[in-house]
């Protein structure tokens, strides 16, 4: 006898995207030591935590050092002070009623979107949009819901819903019966959104097919247009068929501090093998209380501070700063005749490669000619081929400098 591995892990593709980008940039830098490289490929914020958040964070750390105010283990689901602030600020203004025990605070949406699948059976059919945030795919591969990856970069057994300029980045409803659908809007990597009506079609599909929608709203705070839903629960009946993931990472600069939350409505049911409805909220609660011990108290106090009057204003200023960059990117690239998508309700700009270059050719071209680093769209799935992602997470100066360099090119 010998210890056996979970062989599903052998099905995973090496996540070579960011490693390959780093390798090419390093090689370029060695050959061109004086080049001024501008990185516009990173999906991480660049602005620090705001002063109001830091003040709350520090106060809570001081409480931890005092016998009278020290906090040990907290509730696995998070403190009610934060859950209440979330409901009051993120949902009540949208006309959405939630109770505290439908809010599960965690240390990240990556973990939550990755972990959620384990409370559902292995024989569920799963659909993802393509291009896609790789976490949704890889965690289902690890669990054993797929077969091998084919030469197009698609896993057998997964349903891919293409989002390309041909369909205005609006995925079609699955043609076959699927049980679980991952949606991320505003989308990473394309930066595009769905209107309420477009999202409502997925709710209808889920209701008709007893399916579940896993809705990742990590970028909702970047929405500027009116008809774009901030929460899936703005759509009638969504509570019966959808889980929503939100994160303080991109909206409040918590990528290093770590705080997120997941909404699992009590109305939401999934079915056992005898077709009896079971509460998904109960299952997720059981999973979290068994495998997770909560987010640290100071981090939850820091997250709470994002909802204070000053905290909100500071956050808005940061988002406005990023969105100003996004506008500069969009307008500069459009002006020189490139097709650009996203960047209106999202910090991501999805650029169609010119002259039929593939994603990596365009990446190399920009690196060599302008020293600007993007992310090749092909790294996010087969339908990402022929696109490149740029991000607004940068300084205004660098954004302007990069766009000036690209504008001086001729295609
Ligand atoms: C950044 C991001 C998240 C947030 O992940 P955290 O673990 O909360 O930092 C979630 N979903 C998508 C699509 C993202 O790009």
């Amino acid at each position: 006898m010998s210890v056996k591995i979970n062989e599903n892990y052998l099905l995973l593709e090496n996540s070579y995207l960011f490693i390959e980008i780093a390798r090419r940039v390093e090689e370029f830098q060695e050959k061109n030591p004086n080049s001024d490289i501008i990185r516009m490929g990173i999906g991480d914020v660049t602005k620090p935590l705001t002063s109001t958040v830091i003040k709350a964070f520090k106060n809570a750390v001081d409480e931890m050092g005092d016998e009278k105010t020290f906090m040990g283990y907290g509730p696995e689901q998070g403190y009610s002070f934060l859950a209440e602030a979330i409901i009051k600020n993120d949902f009540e203004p949208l006309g959405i009623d939630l109770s505290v025990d439908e809010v599960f605070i965690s240390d990240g949406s990556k973990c939550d979107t990755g972990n959620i699948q384990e409370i559902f059976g292995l024989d569920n059919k799963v659909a993802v949009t393509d291009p896609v945030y790789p976490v949704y795919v890889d965690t289902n591969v690890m669990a054993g819901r797929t077969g091998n990856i084919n030469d197009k970069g698609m896993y057998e057994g997964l349903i891919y819903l293409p989002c390309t300029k041909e369909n205005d980045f609006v995925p079609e409803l699955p043609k076959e019966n699927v049980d679980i659908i991952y949606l991320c809007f505003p989308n990473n990597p394309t930066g595009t959104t769905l209107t309420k009506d477009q999202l409502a079609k997925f709710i209808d599909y889920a209701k008709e097919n007893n399916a579940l929608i896993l809705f990742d709203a990590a970028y909702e705070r970047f929405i500027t247009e009116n008809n774009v839903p901030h929460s899936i629960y703005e759509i009638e009946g969504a509570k019966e068929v959808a889980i929503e993931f939100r994160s303080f990472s991109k909206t409040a600069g918590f990528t290093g501090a770590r705080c997120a939350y997941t909404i699992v409505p009590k109305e939401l049911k999934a079915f056992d093998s005898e077709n009896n409805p079971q509460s998904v909220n109960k299952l997720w609660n059981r999973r979290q209380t068994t495998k997770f011990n909560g987010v640290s108290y100071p981090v939850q106090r820091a997250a709470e501070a994002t909802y204070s009057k000053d905290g909100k204003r500071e956050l808005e200023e940061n988002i406005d700063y990023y969105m100003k960059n996004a506008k500069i990117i969009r307008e500069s690239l459009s002006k020189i005749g490139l097709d650009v998508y996203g960047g209106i309700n999202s910090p991501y700009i999805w650029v169609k490669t010119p002259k039929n270059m593939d994603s990596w050719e365009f990446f190399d071209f920009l690196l060599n000619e302008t020293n600007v680093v993007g992310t090749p769209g092909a790294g996010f799935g087969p339908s990402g081929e022929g696109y490149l992602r740029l991000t607004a997470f940068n300084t205004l100066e660098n954004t302007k400098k990069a766009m000036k360099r690209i504008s001086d090119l001729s295609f």
Side-chain angles (χ1 to χ4, degrees):
M1 295 296 273
S2 53
V3 59
K4 305 291 189 304
I5 62 159
N6 173 353
E7 289 210 351
N8 297 321
Y9 277 64
L10 300 180
L11 300 175
L12 291 167
E13 256 216 327
N14 287 329
S15 79
Y16 91 128
L17 177 64
F18 289 98
I19 296 166
E20 180 60 18
I21 292 171
R23 193 193 65 75
R24 290 190 193 206
V25 172
E26 207 174 303
E27 190 181 276
F28 178 82
Q29 219 159 9
E30 266 166 30
K31 285 191 199 144
N32 307 278
N34 297 323
S35 59
D36 172 25
I37 290 176
I38 302 176
R39 288 166 204 275
M40 302 189 78
I42 310 163
D44 195 354
V45 295
T46 47
K47 288 202 153 286
L49 294 171
T50 69
S51 60
T52 302
V53 167
I54 286 295
K55 209 186 293 162
F57 210 160
K58 281 185 179 166
N59 278 344
V61 170
D62 285 340
E63 285 180 65
M64 296 294 268
D66 183 336
E67 210 171 346
K68 289 191 282 298
T69 49
F70 167 74
M71 306 290 273
Y73 287 125
E76 292 94 341
Q77 304 87 343
Y79 286 103
S80 54
F81 65 75
L82 181 53
E84 280 160 12
I86 287 167
I87 293 171
K88 183 161 168 272
N89 292 281
D90 288 346
F91 294 96
E92 277 178 13
L94 301 173
I96 299 161
D97 278 332
L98 289 172
S99 60
V100 166
D101 52 0
E102 294 173 305
V103 182
F104 294 86
I105 293 153
S106 79
D107 58 352
S109 283
K110 183 182 190 176
C111 337
D112 287 352
T113 55
N115 290 331
I116 196 79
Q117 48 75 32
E118 73 175 63
I119 61 171
F120 301 105
L122 289 182
D123 49 357
N124 285 301
K125 265 257 180 252
V126 175
V128 294
T129 54
D130 171 29
V132 67
Y133 182 55
V135 175
Y136 316 150
V137 172
D138 289 358
T139 53
N140 277 290
V141 175
M142 289 169 173
R145 280 192 197 87
T146 73
N148 288 308
I149 193 162
N150 67 18
D151 52 9
K152 287 197 195 112
M154 298 158 109
Y155 284 95
E156 289 162 20
L158 267 193
I159 310 296
Y160 291 78
L161 309 174
C163 296
T164 60
K165 71 190 186 104
E166 283 73 30
N167 63 11
D168 274 329
F169 302 92
V170 178
E172 274 184 38
L173 291 173
K175 295 200 178 44
E176 52 263 89
N177 243 350
V178 306
D179 305 300
I180 297 174
I181 307 172
Y182 289 84
L183 296 178
C184 172
F185 289 98
N187 188 259
N188 178 12
T190 66
T192 58
T193 52
L194 296 186
T195 63
K196 280 184 190 163
D197 289 348
Q198 288 163 342
L199 189 53
K201 288 192 180 136
F202 280 87
I203 305 290
D204 291 344
Y205 174 94
K207 282 191 168 166
E208 278 160 29
N209 295 283
N210 280 337
L212 168 71
I213 295 170
L214 299 174
F215 190 74
D216 187 342
Y219 296 94
E220 69 69 38
R221 206 62 72 83
F222 294 85
I223 293 171
T224 61
E225 290 181 317
N226 279 335
N227 196 29
V228 178
H230 287 253
S231 166
I232 196 167
Y233 306 120
E234 288 178 57
I235 291 148
E236 176 97 29
K239 279 186 181 176
E240 291 155 48
V241 292
I243 291 175
E244 181 164 300
F245 304 92
R246 288 204 183 186
S247 173
F248 293 92
S249 282
K250 315 296 168 27
T251 57
F254 274 60
T255 51
R258 311 304 306 144
C259 198
Y261 63 88
T262 291
I263 305 295
V264 189
K266 290 200 196 122
E267 291 94 322
L268 183 62
K269 303 283 185 235
F271 301 86
D272 63 25
S273 54
E274 265 129 44
N275 225 21
N276 299 310
Q278 301 282 349
S279 161
V280 176
N281 179 288
K282 265 193 189 161
L283 293 183
W284 184 243
N285 190 50
R286 190 70 172 85
R287 190 270 171 209
Q288 288 297 77
T289 51
T290 301
K291 292 196 178 183
F292 184 58
N293 243 341
V295 181
S296 83
Y297 172 71
V299 168
Q300 292 191 63
R301 280 294 184 200
E304 182 193 28
T306 65
Y307 296 114
S308 66
K309 194 160 160 270
D310 289 339
K312 276 185 186 165
R313 181 181 40 77
E314 292 164 356
L315 277 202
E316 259 163 49
E317 283 166 8
N318 283 356
I319 302 244
D320 288 349
Y321 182 91
Y322 292 133
M323 291 312 283
K324 197 172 161 202
N325 289 346
K327 187 163 187 264
I328 291 169
I329 298 170
R330 271 185 66 85
E331 289 179 353
S332 311
L333 299 184
S334 299
K335 214 185 229 169
I336 58 166
L338 290 174
D339 278 349
V340 295
Y341 306 93
I344 294 173
N345 300 298
S346 144
Y348 296 130
I349 293 91
W350 193 238
V351 188
K352 182 78 192 83
T353 61
K355 290 191 163 165
N356 284 325
M357 282 188 240
D358 72 26
S359 292
W360 281 106
E361 280 169 348
F362 191 45
F363 170 90
D364 286 332
F365 176 78
L366 283 186
L367 177 60
N368 285 308
E369 303 298 322
T370 67
N371 307 341
V372 172
V373 180
T375 311
F380 297 101
S383 294
E385 183 53 272
Y387 296 88
L388 184 100
R389 190 189 74 177
L390 294 178
T391 87
F393 293 132
N394 218 317
T395 61
L396 178 63
E397 298 75 51
N398 275 345
T399 304
K400 283 184 173 164
K401 196 154 60 163
M403 289 308 116
K404 167 94 177 63
R405 288 187 202 164
I406 296 176
S407 301
D408 289 342
L409 288 173
S410 56
F411 289 105

